[in-house]
Amino acid sequence: MGLERRVAVIGAGPSGLAAARALDRAGLAFDGYEAHADVGGLWDIDNPRSTVYESAHLISSRTTTQFDELPMDSAADYPSHRELLRYFRRYADEFGLRDRFRFGTRVLGVEPAGGDDSGRSGWTVRSAPAGSVPGSGADDAVERTYSHVVIANGTLAEPNVPTLPGTFDGEALHSSAYKSADVFAGKRVLVVGGGNSGCDIAVDAVHRAASVDLSVRRGYWFVPRYLLGRPTDTLNQGRPLPARVKQAVDSRLLRLLNGDPRRFGFPEPDHRIYESHPVVNSLVLQHAGQGDLRVRPDVARCDGRTVHFADGSSGDYDLVLLATGYRLDYPFLDPRHLAWAGPGSGTAPRLFCNIVPPSGNGLFVVGMLEASGIGWQGRAEQAELVARYLAAVAAGDDGDVAARERAVRFRRRLTEPWPDLTGGYRYLGLERMSYYVNKDAYRRTVRRLADELAPAAESAA
């Protein structure tokens, strides 16, 4: 008896839900695993792994972020995390996905069955109740073998926590642990990191803290949420401009709208716009201009409550909040199965279209994706590609010669030169940017590959 065709989906956040929906639509058998009690992933603030905070909203607009097949029932252009959680629960209910997940179940390990790294023998998923202690008897792990595994546990759960040089005697916490501005009440606050979370939290802090400083290592491009009365990311949804033209036009427009960020104390950006993720926040410039917060350079060392900066200046603080981002984290899997050097390596797994290991070993990642404006629909299209490939494999195994040829042709692409997903942009060599793509180039490529995997009649339609 051969290996049962059944897929494991790890995670019930947006990417996991997209994967479950695509597999279900393709008629493929699967089991979902989610450590928390319900769907939503990080957007459920009650999820222990959630990294959202009370004031968190989308930084891309509703219409460019939502799943195409289920528009959000919200009037807000940039919905809050509470509205987003309701949306994901509605999505799960609308498509009957909730019953397909094993909630409160933590995946402990994903290993090649029988030690066969090729994946031909399938993958053993070892899981246990989320609150259990492995080896404690009744709660020992359960093992199930699957033909394929879709990893969709997100990219923003494992904090990147640098060690502050020297010794800081005050309170220090990472933005992943930040929930409410109440923590800043009456304190001298230093926020380290000028990305989207760092700027959002600094703006939160000015309303409660005794003082707020923002330490940045490099310059950023600041994009307002609205332009001409409309969400900024809805203004260029037609034929994309060439990279250099768009950079030239948009950088001039932003300088016209915002002025020179150096006026507010920020360094000059060391890159062209869109070569790193822009900061969608103009309030931080307003508060800097009003004197509500002060921009500082990189931290050089700490001494008690005093923090010394790279320019020789210093300040005294009660609380340092590290808005220093997140690391990719697949703790249940040996990194080599994803062609990856591992956490902290400064790189991402080397995956075809950010989805498939070059070995074609039966593992897939949905959601390892960053791009301006890619939205959840971009994740849904990743999932659709995976589902169509697995459907072609299944049909081929059942004797459909055309389907087998489509699956073989797709696997062959893993060994050929991979498509350029940059859209002509030269992204910075940062860990986060190692899995960054241009949304137009990426979605065009993934849709084409999915069309190639579809049966002829469906592809024509």
Side-chain angles (χ1 to χ4, degrees), residues 113-300:
D116 181 3
D117 284 5
S118 72
R120 294 188 187 92
S121 301
W123 293 86
T124 299
V125 174
R126 191 161 45 92
S127 65
S132 68
V133 177
S136 61
D139 290 334
D140 279 351
V142 173
E143 293 187 351
R144 296 178 178 85
T145 299
Y146 294 90
S147 56
H148 302 86
V149 177
V150 177
I151 300 166
N153 63 323
T155 62
L156 300 175
E158 185 63 24
N160 175 37
V161 185
T163 301
L164 288 171
T167 302
F168 180 64
D169 291 343
E171 182 182 0
L173 73 156
H174 189 270
S175 57
S176 59
Y178 169 71
K179 297 300 176 186
S180 166
D182 291 346
V183 72
F184 300 131
K187 296 176 182 176
R188 300 167 296 177
V189 175
L190 174 66
V191 177
V192 177
N196 279 287
S197 292
C199 289
D200 280 354
I201 294 171
V203 169
D204 278 359
V206 300
H207 302 291
R208 300 299 306 276
S211 65
V212 182
D213 286 0
L214 177 63
S215 169
V216 297
R217 180 177 298 178
R218 36 186 289 272
Y220 298 85
W221 290 93
F222 295 91
V223 177
R225 296 200 176 198
Y226 288 94
L227 188 61
L228 303 177
R230 293 174 54 189
T232 305
D233 63 0
T234 66
L235 296 177
N236 184 26
Q237 294 299 307
R239 184 180 180 88
L241 294 172
R244 288 294 174 260
V245 174
K246 182 169 176 57
Q247 286 175 314
V249 171
D250 288 5
S251 60
R252 284 171 173 77
L253 178 60
L254 288 181
R255 290 196 183 279
L256 178 65
L257 293 171
N258 295 331
D260 188 341
R262 289 177 294 184
R263 281 195 61 242
F264 304 98
F266 287 94
E268 176 77 9
D270 59 355
H271 58 281
R272 294 173 181 262
I273 190 171
Y274 306 126
E275 292 180 347
S276 182
H277 203 63
V279 176
V280 187
N281 187 324
S282 52
L283 285 176
V284 69
L285 299 179
Q286 175 182 317
H287 283 294
Q290 293 175 177
D292 298 330
L293 65 85
R294 177 172 45 175
V295 180
R296 297 281 207 166
D298 195 19
V299 172

Side-chain angles (χ1 to χ4, degrees), residues 9-87:
V9 177
I10 302 174
S15 297
L17 290 175
R21 169 62 176 152
L23 293 171
D24 186 54
R25 192 168 48 230
L28 299 166
F30 69 93
D31 296 323
Y33 291 84
E34 168 57 50
H36 189 45
D38 206 345
V39 303
L42 70 86
W43 293 104
D44 184 350
I45 198 169
D46 295 325
N47 184 338
R49 282 176 61 83
S50 173
T51 56
V52 301
Y53 35 89
E54 286 293 348
S55 63
H57 290 70
L58 280 179
I59 61 170
S60 55
S61 65
R62 167 176 48 85
T63 56
T64 63
T65 308
Q66 65 194 3
F67 292 112
D68 284 355
E69 66 176 343
L70 187 69
M72 289 190 204
D73 52 354
S74 170
D77 292 324
Y78 297 94
S80 73
H81 64 90
R82 296 175 188 83
E83 288 188 276
L84 297 175
L85 178 58
R86 287 195 293 270
Y87 174 65

